[in-house]
């Protein structure tokens, strides 16, 4: 995903060509081992990809020889390279092995497949699979690694083609194969398709596991189908499968999320009869639900019960308490809990410190927030990017962008690389402080580091461009945003409408509103008010108030908004304008 530049003049330093750098990093391939033309883009595998691979595998291959000292050395080199994270070098040694007629190890090849998928290098992962099929003996674990890699990359069609490939070569998918597919579909909120995979699993004579049902139960709960989740639990028991606490906690989590705390307590009490005992996760879920609604007395009683049952509070327990104390303004009590943790021999983690740092930042007490950050480090707890983002956002809010930039530039040194949220914070602050060039360098740096921009990135850039009157560039960026797979939201459109209104481009604002509706983005009250203001400030105050009156009559804008518009464009002035226009010849 790439952000379009608002103006070529801003980018003074062109990006280096990535192809030349990659050529220098890639070791040469042995000419004796041909590469199969498998796709390496984000598109699904073509229907002819695996037949081509099969043809390559079925061609004449050199006979495999037994392991000797030279081959043993190559295997050791390959292992060392893999453990050092040098995946390309490992593939080089693998290709040297097979070019000399030695059989590749399926376990190490499977690790390489996982490593290349983790590094988003799909073509090299498929290259390892090709070598394994042509010169070695792949197993179901190797194919599962490929299916899992495609699923994580949201390439379900490619994963299904690998599944078909497995079957065509005589490998029967196991329950892990199906769990990978079910988990991927559930993660993408495609529960219906996941249930169809479960049906296929049973048809293929493969018994679903506890993990299978747990994935489906959790996904069903997230979709708000608690009753359906409980039916899955019954089906699980009918198959003779014994749910574990992960399964039961998914139910408890769902009950607490929908506000059925009493029902969640009843469910926890029934765990003994189900052969299970509530664990610290169960108690943490209940505790969060109680304290979120302000039931501190019940929360204290639950903590006592938890300890009496021999279930010791963990860092998550304390982070829940600290977070909700900070929410209620009880910062001193939250600080006391850090001391309690120390007395109990526990080391607070970043999740315990972050609510406190955020609370001090909200109060404007940056000195105390930074002191807590130093305390974290001295206690052996390395701050995470959330902690740093909180501090930098507070500095930027106080107009101290330079201090925030100093912290930003040291993030890589402290082993905490910036996230997209970090860049969003710094970009807006630098632009607002007048350092547009440095702000745009942030966008280029995001692209170099392959950090995907999110909706906030685009909205921030559109807003900054509009504030500086660069509305055409903002419109182009909105188009690029949609092209890059991020459909603009009503917030994006409202920012652009505000920018168009400020430069009195009323007709363009109307065109944007029409396009917005055509693309299925429903305008809100802010959208309509901005349009009325744009028309009014563009010199058509009478028409603006006529539109405002019609919108108020339809209930599209509130009475308060209509009253505010009347103050902005007084009816007396509008009447005078109408009278003057009538007097003109």
């Amino acid at each position: 995903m790439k952000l379009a530049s608002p103006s070529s003049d801003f980018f003074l330093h062109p990006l280096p060509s990535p192809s030349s750098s990659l050529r220098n990093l890639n070791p040469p391939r042995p000419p004796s081992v041909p590469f199969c033309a498998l796709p390496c883009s984000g598109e699904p595998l073509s229907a002819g990809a695996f037949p081509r691979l099969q043809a390559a595998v079925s061609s004449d291959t050199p006979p495999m020889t037994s392991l000797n000292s030279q081959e043993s050395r190559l295997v050791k080199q390959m292992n060392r390279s893999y453990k050092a994270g040098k995946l390309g070098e490992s593939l080089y040694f693998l290709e040297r092995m097979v070019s000399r007629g030695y059989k590749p190890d399926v376990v190490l090849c499977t690790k390489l497949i996982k490593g290349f998928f983790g590094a988003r290098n799909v073509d090299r992962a498929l290259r390892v699979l090709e070598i394994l099929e042509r010169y070695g003996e792949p197993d179901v674990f190797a194919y599962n690694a490929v299916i899992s890699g495609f699923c994580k990359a949201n390439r379900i069609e490619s994963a299904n083609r690998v599944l078909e490939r497995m079957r065509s070569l005589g490998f029967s998918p196991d329950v892990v194969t199906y769990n990978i597919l079910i988990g991927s579909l559930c993660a993408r909120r495609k529960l219906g398709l996941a249930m169809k995979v479960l049906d296929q699993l049973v048809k293929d004579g493969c018994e679903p596991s506890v993990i299978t049902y747990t994935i489906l139960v959790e996904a069903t709960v997230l979709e708000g189908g608690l009753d359906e989740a409980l039916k899955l639990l019954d089906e699980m028991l009918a198959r003779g499968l014994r749910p574990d606490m992960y399964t039961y906690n998914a139910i408890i989590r769902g009950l607490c999320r929908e506000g059925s705390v009493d029902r969640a307590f009843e469910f926890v009490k029934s765990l003994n009869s189900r052969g299970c005992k509530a664990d610290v996760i169960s108690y943490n879920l209940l505790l969060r639900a109680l304290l979120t609604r302000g039931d501190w007395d019940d929360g204290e009683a639950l903590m006592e019960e938890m300890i009496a049952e021999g279930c010791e509070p963990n860092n998550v327990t304390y982070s829940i308490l600290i977070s909700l104390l900070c929410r209620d303004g009880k910062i001193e009590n939250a600080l006391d809990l850090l001391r309690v943790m120390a007395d109990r021999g526990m080391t607070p983690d970043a999740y315990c410190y972050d609510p406190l740092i955020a609370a001090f930042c909200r109060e404007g007490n940056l000195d105390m927030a930074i002191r807590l950050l130093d305390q974290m480090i001295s206690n052996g707890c390395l701050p995470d990017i959330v902690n740093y983002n909180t501090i930098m956002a507070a500095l930027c809010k106080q107009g101290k962008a330079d201090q925030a930039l100093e912290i930003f530039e040291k993030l890589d040194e402290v082993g905490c690389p910036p996230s997209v949220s970090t860049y969003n914070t710094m970009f807006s602050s630098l632009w607002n402080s007048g350092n547009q060039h440095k702000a745009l360098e942030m966008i280029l740096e995001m692209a170099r580091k392959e950090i995907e921009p999110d909706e906030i990135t685009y909205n921030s850039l559109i807003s900054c461009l509009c504030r500086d009157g660069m509305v055409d560039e903002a419109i182009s960026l909105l188009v690029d945003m949609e092209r890059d797979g991020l459909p603009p939201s009503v917030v994006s459109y409202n920012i652009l409408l505000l920018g168009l209104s400020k430069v009195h481009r009323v007709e363009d604002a109307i065109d944007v509103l029409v396009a917005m509706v055509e693309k299925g983005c429903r305008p809100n009250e802010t959208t309509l008010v901005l349009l009325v203001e744009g028309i009014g400030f563009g010199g058509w105050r009478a028409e603006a108030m006529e539109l405002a009156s019609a919108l108020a009559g339809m209930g599209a804008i509130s009475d308060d908004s209509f009253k505010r518009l009347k103050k902005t464009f007084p009816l007396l002035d509008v009447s005078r304008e109408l009278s003057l226009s009538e007097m003109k010849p």
Side-chain angles (χ1 to χ4, degrees):
M1 194 177 296
K2 298 178 181 178
L3 284 168
S5 58
S7 172
S8 58
D9 295 336
F10 284 111
F11 299 101
L12 304 180
H13 308 289
L15 288 172
S17 171
S19 57
S20 59
S21 303
L22 288 175
R23 282 198 296 270
N24 294 331
L25 290 174
N26 294 344
R29 303 185 180 107
S32 58
V33 184
F35 269 70
C36 181
L38 289 175
C40 60
S41 68
E43 297 300 318
L45 290 171
S46 65
F50 275 118
R52 290 199 302 275
L53 177 57
Q54 193 168 13
V57 173
S58 62
S59 64
D60 293 334
T61 59
M64 296 291 105
T65 59
S66 58
L67 196 69
N68 59 22
S69 59
Q70 185 181 19
E71 180 60 12
S72 178
R73 191 184 78 253
L74 283 171
V75 171
K76 288 178 181 178
Q77 288 174 325
M78 184 177 168
N79 268 294
R80 279 198 296 268
S81 297
Y82 172 78
K83 289 178 180 177
K86 300 176 180 178
L87 301 178
E89 192 175 281
S90 294
L91 178 57
Y92 170 68
F93 287 124
L94 175 63
E95 290 180 325
R96 284 188 63 189
M97 282 173 55
V98 298
S99 68
R100 297 181 184 190
Y102 297 110
K103 184 176 179 179
D105 178 65
V106 64
V107 175
L108 187 51
C109 283
T110 303
K111 289 179 179 178
L112 270 178
I113 288 169
K114 291 179 179 178
F116 279 126
F117 269 114
R120 298 182 180 181
N121 200 329
V122 178
D123 55 339
R124 285 195 169 191
L126 291 175
R127 172 62 182 149
V128 176
L129 177 63
E130 177 194 347
I131 290 172
L132 192 55
E133 286 189 331
R134 185 172 184 180
Y135 301 103
E137 296 178 2
D139 57 17
V140 69
F141 300 103
Y143 286 109
N144 284 347
V146 178
I147 291 171
S148 176
F150 278 130
C151 285
K152 288 176 181 175
N154 198 20
R155 292 172 61 179
I156 304 298
E157 290 182 21
S158 299
N160 285 330
R161 290 190 182 278
V162 178
L163 186 62
E164 292 169 8
R165 169 87 177 155
M166 278 180 69
R167 288 184 172 132
S168 70
L169 294 177
F171 292 95
S172 297
D174 60 9
V175 67
V176 176
T177 317
Y178 287 108
N179 286 348
I180 292 167
L181 292 168
I182 289 170
S184 177
L185 289 167
C186 287
R188 287 157 181 78
R189 311 298 287 267
K190 297 180 179 179
L191 186 57
L193 290 176
M195 295 301 293
K196 288 181 180 179
V197 174
L198 175 64
D199 293 339
Q200 186 63 47
L201 183 157
V202 176
K203 286 179 184 177
D204 287 348
C206 190
E207 282 294 320
S209 66
V210 171
I211 294 174
T212 314
Y213 276 102
T214 300
I215 294 169
L216 288 167
V217 165
E218 190 168 34
T220 306
V221 167
L222 284 172
E223 293 287 339
L226 267 172
D227 293 334
E228 289 79 5
L230 290 169
K231 287 178 184 177
L232 281 171
L233 200 60
D234 292 338
E235 183 181 324
M236 188 177 177
L237 293 167
R239 288 186 177 275
L241 296 171
R242 184 177 177 180
D244 55 20
M245 278 312 301
Y246 193 91
T247 319
Y248 287 127
N249 282 334
I251 299 290
I252 296 167
R253 186 177 293 106
L255 290 166
C256 290
R257 186 181 288 115
E258 72 167 16
S260 303
V261 182
D262 294 337
R263 192 178 169 189
F265 269 94
E266 289 175 8
F267 188 83
V268 169
K269 288 177 183 176
S270 72
L271 289 178
N272 287 333
S273 64
R274 297 172 184 265
C276 279
K277 186 179 179 181
D279 59 12
V280 66
I281 297 174
S282 314
Y283 281 109
N284 286 345
L285 290 168
L286 294 172
L287 183 66
R288 185 187 296 277
L290 287 172
L291 299 187
T292 298
R293 67 184 192 183
D295 293 342
W296 286 95
D297 292 338
D298 290 341
E300 186 177 346
L302 181 66
M303 286 281 291
E304 292 173 358
E305 177 189 327
M306 177 181 177
I307 295 169
E309 290 290 328
C311 188
E312 285 295 318
N314 61 8
N315 272 26
V316 176
T317 315
Y318 283 101
S319 70
I320 291 168
L321 292 167
I322 290 170
S323 177
L324 291 167
L325 283 168
C326 289
R327 181 203 67 180
D328 292 351
K330 301 175 181 178
I331 300 178
E332 289 301 321
N333 299 95
L335 283 171
D336 288 339
L337 283 178
L338 289 181
R339 290 186 278 271
V340 170
M341 291 181 73
D343 292 341
R344 295 174 69 92
M346 300 174 68
T347 302
D349 58 18
Y351 293 102
C352 296
Y353 281 103
D354 192 57
L356 282 161
I357 291 172
F360 283 120
C361 286
R362 281 196 302 272
E363 290 185 349
N365 193 346
L366 272 171
D367 291 340
M368 189 61 193
I370 294 171
R371 196 179 308 164
L372 270 177
L373 203 67
D374 292 338
Q375 182 182 322
M376 285 179 69
I377 298 169
S378 63
N379 288 342
C381 173
L382 293 178
D384 61 16
I385 192 60
V386 176
N387 303 129
Y388 285 113
N389 284 349
T390 304
I391 297 285
M392 286 187 288
L395 286 168
C396 291
K397 191 175 180 180
Q398 292 187 5
K400 300 175 181 178
D402 291 341
Q403 291 183 36
L405 190 59
E406 288 178 13
I407 296 174
F408 176 87
E409 290 173 346
K410 293 179 181 177
L411 288 176
D412 284 321
E413 294 178 20
V414 297
C416 197
S419 65
V420 63
S421 297
T422 320
Y423 281 101
N424 291 343
T425 298
M426 292 307 306
F427 168 80
S428 295
S429 180
L430 288 167
W431 189 288
N432 293 336
S433 64
N435 196 346
Q436 286 92 341
H437 181 74
K438 184 65 179 177
L440 289 168
E441 281 184 359
M442 289 281 174
I443 301 298
L444 287 174
E445 187 175 319
M446 282 182 70
R448 283 196 298 268
K449 293 185 175 181
E450 296 184 353
I451 297 174
E452 294 287 336
D454 58 14
E455 185 183 335
I456 296 174
T457 315
Y458 279 103
N459 287 346
S460 298
L461 187 48
I462 291 170
S463 177
C464 290
L465 291 170
C466 285
R467 280 202 303 271
D468 282 12
M470 302 168 68
V471 184
D472 289 325
E473 289 84 352
I475 293 172
S476 297
L477 194 60
L478 191 78
V479 174
D480 291 335
M481 180 180 179
E482 185 173 19
R483 183 198 63 198
D484 289 340
L486 277 175
S489 67
V490 65
V491 176
S492 313
Y493 284 109
N494 286 350
I495 294 169
L496 186 55
L497 284 171
L498 178 61
L500 288 166
S501 297
K502 285 184 176 179
V503 294
H504 309 312
R505 289 171 57 173
V506 178
E507 290 187 8
D508 289 336
I510 294 171
D511 289 341
V512 168
L513 180 66
V514 171
M516 174 184 178
V517 174
E518 287 177 350
K519 292 180 182 295
C521 184
R522 187 181 180 86
N524 59 16
E525 184 178 8
T526 303
T527 316
L528 300 173
V529 169
L530 285 170
L531 186 62
V532 171
E533 289 179 339
I535 294 170
F537 289 125
W540 296 279
R541 290 195 287 176
E543 290 83 354
M545 287 312 301
E546 184 180 347
L547 176 59
S549 180
L551 291 171
M554 295 163 53
I557 63 174
S558 66
D559 291 339
D560 289 338
S561 296
F562 183 63
K563 289 176 182 176
R564 184 170 60 79
L565 288 168
K566 285 173 67 176
K567 289 182 180 178
T568 306
F569 309 110
L571 291 177
L572 181 62
D573 291 345
V574 171
S575 300
R576 186 180 298 118
E577 285 179 3
L578 288 171
S579 300
L580 289 172
S581 63
E582 290 173 357
M583 292 171 61
K584 289 180 182 179

